[in-house]
Amino acid sequence: MKNVTALLRDSMKVKPASKRGARQKTSTPKGVTRLNFNENNYGPAPEVTKLLIDSIGRVNEYQDFFAIDLKQKIADFYGLDKTAEAASETNEFGENSKPEDYVIIGAGSSAVIDMLGEIFINPGDEVVYCMPSYESFPDMVNDYGGKRVEIPLTADYHFDLDGMYEAVTEKTKLVVVVNPNNPTGTYINGAKIEEFIWKVHEKAARLHPDGDQDVVVIVDEAYYEYVDDPTHYSMIEMVQKGYDRPLIVQRTFSKAYGLAGLRIGYAITQPALADAIMKACQAWNYSGPGLLACEAALDYQDYIKKVKALNIENRNYVADELKQLGFEVVPPAANFIFFGIPEDATAEEREKMDPVRVKNELAERKILIGAPNGHNRVSIGTAEECKMFIAAMKEIVR
Ligand code: PMP
């Protein structure tokens, strides 16, 4: 077909050929071990699976259009009733905000990311984040004709908060922190992220003394549940405490909760922002069984604790074995490991450890992992899958 480009929205004309369709080939032949999508291969809590099976009898019904029950459940989970009580904010109908007004639901947090682009980005608006990180953010900026302001990660693969702070200008609309980061698996302690958010908003106030514009800070905490540091805390706490500058904290049921295929993610933010963002929500796009299962899943926190403990055990095993095989292993905080060739490797070792070779050799052995950014990224599967992966790695690099 000719001239399709002429039909497109301007930002779609200039958007680089999308990697999305090609990249997201998730269908896998049977008998293959998936360690390439950071899924929870233990699956959801057994009670949630049972509820899903029972709910199949109701798939003829449309789901709750506004997902109020799940929003209320999430609001309860984070104690947002106290936040709503203490706040003077009113919603778009002039009513006092309710706890659920702080919650946005999306068909996966990926859908929330798209909604943010649609709501906030005018052509030319700057969006500051680090790379390499989660690819949906640059995709979202491209979709709406924003300007990508990409700061390299620090030498030890962390988000460079100082570099990002410096990069904020009067044209900055969004600032994105992915914590823990994907694909590197590194995290930054909550206290440092909170300090960064205060600083960014102070700078925004200086850049816009008339108060005519502000900067929206987005913190993607898709892998929060896996972080094993008692001093770490979620930026949801800032919203809970009534922080009143634009802050959006994203979470998902796709990772620790083991429900990626149901496509439910959420974000916590101030009610005025939540109202605005929900304008971009596609009609009827949540799955009914998905909403019910996610509501129930929040009740089984002991299961999430168990998933976290198993992840740490399996992750330690994989990290130790990879180190013994000579790889550089970036300290992991989530349910995957980013590893690569150490600086002092010989030419022969480099050839054997080449990330594309490693990925292809594993695929031959029916184990799928990723090879992003000159490294490999392997998801932490079940204990058995981790053993299979390490056995295959020994064959490949020894
Ligand atoms: N954020 C990050 C950092 C991710 O790695 C992912 C999925 N890989 C997502 C968001 C999106 O997850 P979902 O759409 O399944 O909620």
Side-chain angles (χ1 to χ4, degrees):
M1 193 182 287
K2 280 184 192 162
N3 271 341
V4 171
T5 308
L7 298 170
L8 304 184
R9 244 178 348 104
D10 290 344
S11 66
M12 288 296 156
K13 283 181 188 145
V14 296
K15 184 181 177 184
S18 176
K19 285 192 284 174
R20 274 189 193 182
R23 191 180 78 233
Q24 297 295 10
K25 188 174 180 304
T26 50
S27 63
T28 26
K30 284 218 162 62
V32 167
T33 301
R34 288 161 65 109
L35 300 177
N36 54 338
F37 281 112
N38 303 342
E39 294 153 335
N40 170 3
N41 290 359
Y42 287 107
E47 295 86 348
V48 175
T49 307
K50 185 176 176 314
L51 183 139
L52 264 171
I53 293 168
D54 293 347
S55 72
I56 290 303
R58 290 177 56 192
V59 283
N60 59 309
E61 295 174 12
Y62 278 113
Q63 86 291 13
D64 168 9
F65 188 94
F66 293 107
I68 293 292
D69 290 345
L70 180 58
K71 283 184 181 173
Q72 284 176 341
K73 186 80 187 237
I74 292 170
D76 265 7
F77 186 73
Y78 291 111
L80 291 165
D81 48 338
K82 293 186 203 75
T83 313
E85 216 176 277
S88 54
E89 259 195 90
T90 49
N91 65 20
E92 64 171 325
F93 309 109
E95 303 158 337
N96 280 347
S97 293
K98 297 187 279 302
E100 61 269 26
D101 295 339
Y102 289 78
V103 185
I104 298 164
I105 310 282
S109 54
S110 305
V112 176
I113 296 172
D114 284 344
M115 284 153 74
L116 299 178
E118 184 172 349
I119 287 299
F120 293 115
I121 299 179
N122 273 319
D125 280 349
E126 293 177 359
V127 182
V128 179
Y129 51 89
C130 283
M131 279 310 263
S133 186
Y134 188 45
E135 296 277 353
S136 285
F137 288 104
D139 274 348
M140 168 266 263
V141 184
N142 288 335
D143 282 351
Y144 296 96
K147 184 172 167 214
R148 288 176 285 131
V149 181
E150 298 180 345
I151 309 299
L153 295 176
T154 59
D156 60 354
Y157 307 102
H158 285 73
F159 255 62
D160 178 3
L161 298 181
D162 292 338
M164 285 175 61
Y165 173 78
E166 290 303 321
V168 170
T169 71
E170 64 280 0
K171 290 198 185 129
T172 304
K173 181 67 76 68
L174 307 179
V175 167
V176 182
V177 181
V178 181
N179 196 42
N181 187 34
N182 177 11
T184 58
T186 49
Y187 85 108
I188 295 178
N189 188 278
K192 287 201 177 134
I193 306 279
E194 174 164 357
E195 187 193 334
F196 168 76
I197 294 169
W198 284 96
K199 273 178 61 183
V200 165
H201 282 142
E202 269 165 30
K203 185 168 180 183
R206 256 185 285 124
L207 292 169
H208 301 283
D210 302 339
D212 55 340
Q213 200 183 309
D214 208 340
V215 169
V216 181
V217 179
I218 298 160
V219 186
D220 179 331
E221 296 185 349
Y223 300 97
Y224 178 82
E225 289 85 355
Y226 289 110
V227 179
D228 188 35
D229 168 0
T231 72
H232 182 51
Y233 59 96
S234 165
M235 292 308 104
I236 291 175
E237 288 193 17
M238 289 182 77
V239 181
Q240 282 168 332
K241 288 180 191 151
Y243 188 68
D244 70 349
R245 301 287 291 280
L247 173 61
I248 298 163
V249 188
Q250 282 180 209
R251 291 287 190 89
T252 182
F253 287 99
S254 298
K255 304 300 176 184
Y257 286 86
L259 295 168
L262 292 181
R263 311 306 306 128
I264 305 282
Y266 63 98
I268 306 294
T269 185
Q270 296 94 348
L273 273 185
D275 268 353
I277 294 162
M278 288 307 288
K279 290 185 190 182
C281 185
Q282 288 178 0
W284 297 114
N285 73 342
Y286 314 129
S287 86
L291 294 176
L292 295 175
C294 291
E295 242 180 86
L298 286 170
D299 288 334
Y300 299 103
Q301 289 305 310
D302 283 350
Y303 183 73
I304 300 300
K305 277 192 201 136
K306 191 170 135 191
V307 163
K308 178 177 172 178
L310 284 167
N311 181 64
I312 293 170
E313 197 180 314
N314 298 341
R315 194 174 70 190
N316 285 344
Y317 161 74
V318 173
D320 288 347
E321 293 284 343
L322 287 175
K323 280 184 213 160
Q324 278 183 33
L325 287 172
F327 287 98
E328 178 207 22
V329 174
V330 176
N335 64 339
F336 55 92
I337 294 181
F338 192 64
F339 63 98
I341 306 171
E343 253 175 45
D344 58 0
T346 63
E348 193 193 342
E349 283 167 342
R350 278 179 192 279
E351 210 172 294
K352 278 194 176 168
M353 293 173 152
D354 175 73
V356 176
R357 173 179 180 267
V358 168
K359 178 184 155 171
N360 291 341
E361 287 282 337
L362 285 166
E364 298 248 316
R365 292 163 176 80
K366 295 190 181 274
I367 299 173
L368 306 185
I369 73 164
N373 310 102
H375 283 68
N376 283 118
R377 191 197 67 188
V378 61
S379 311
I380 302 303
T382 62
E384 197 189 333
E385 289 168 336
C386 290
K387 284 205 183 94
M388 273 170 51
F389 164 70
I390 290 299
M393 287 298 284
K394 285 180 179 166
E395 277 178 28
I396 292 166
V397 296
R398 277 208 179 132

